[in-house]
Amino acid sequence: MKYGYVRVSTKEQNIDRQLVEMYAQGLNDKTIFIDKQSGKDFERDEYQKLKKILKTGDLLIIKSIDRLGRNYDMIIDEWRTLVNDMNVDIQVLDMPLLDTRTEGKNLVGKFISDIVLQILSFVAENERENIKKRQAEGIRIAKEKGKHLGRPKLKLPKNFTIIANQYKKKEITLAEALSSLKMNRSSFYKLLATTR
């Protein structure tokens, strides 16, 4: 049986490019498993469902090695589990050398496949580390320039103290306080905690 695995890091990212490739391999919606979350580990719902149904002789198709995951050691371990322990074949569409159906049948082919896998896994993890470094650097530079990061700070409305005191004394209800201040409950309670 053939199965496809598609992954993007966030719900907003588009999976169409990967799906087109899967459909071209003769797969359909019942045989394609899709995760929309980070590849930092293999604790992904759809991937785990797929892994539970894979049997000896099945073929797992992925577009590129980084769709499987981003952590170098984990990718190597997972590949070995699938291929060696579960006897599942893997085909990586963007890298024809990573196709255990053809390359893994002889010693030289297996050796080449293992080397290519290790290189690509290293590149995938290295890119993940570079993204983290770029984010940290951007945050550091923004802080040095005095830019506020994250959500904007809550501004205290001019009449907040009066309304808050009335609420504390139970002269008005929470709903009346929120309506007067034109704010939501969580913002009100956060500001209330800072003014005690």
Side-chain angles (χ1 to χ4, degrees), residues 23-72:
Y23 295 143
Q25 298 299 314
L27 296 169
N28 58 50
D29 292 338
K30 291 181 182 176
T31 56
I32 300 170
F33 291 76
I34 302 167
D35 275 314
K36 293 187 174 186
Q37 66 186 90
S38 169
K40 67 180 180 179
D41 59 40
F42 288 93
E43 297 306 313
R44 299 172 233 139
D45 293 341
E46 290 300 307
Y47 181 78
Q48 290 301 320
K49 284 180 194 172
L50 168 63
K51 197 170 170 183
K52 283 178 185 169
I53 64 168
L54 285 171
K55 298 184 301 291
T56 297
D58 284 346
L59 173 64
L60 172 58
I61 302 171
I62 54 175
K63 171 118 176 76
S64 57
I65 196 68
D66 65 343
R67 298 305 87 205
L68 188 59
R70 291 222 178 251
N71 180 296
Y72 170 72

Side-chain angles (χ1 to χ4, degrees), residues 105-143:
K105 303 305 179 200
N106 62 63
L107 192 57
V108 174
K110 184 163 177 34
F111 177 70
I112 290 170
S113 185
D114 284 349
I115 289 174
V116 171
L117 172 65
Q118 290 195 26
I119 292 169
L120 291 177
S121 299
F122 171 78
V123 168
E125 182 171 354
N126 200 43
E127 178 57 21
R128 187 167 167 260
E129 291 302 316
N130 285 339
I131 289 168
K132 283 183 184 176
K133 285 178 187 173
R134 288 192 295 266
Q135 286 174 336
E137 191 175 296
I139 290 167
R140 181 185 54 78
I141 291 169
K143 284 182 178 177

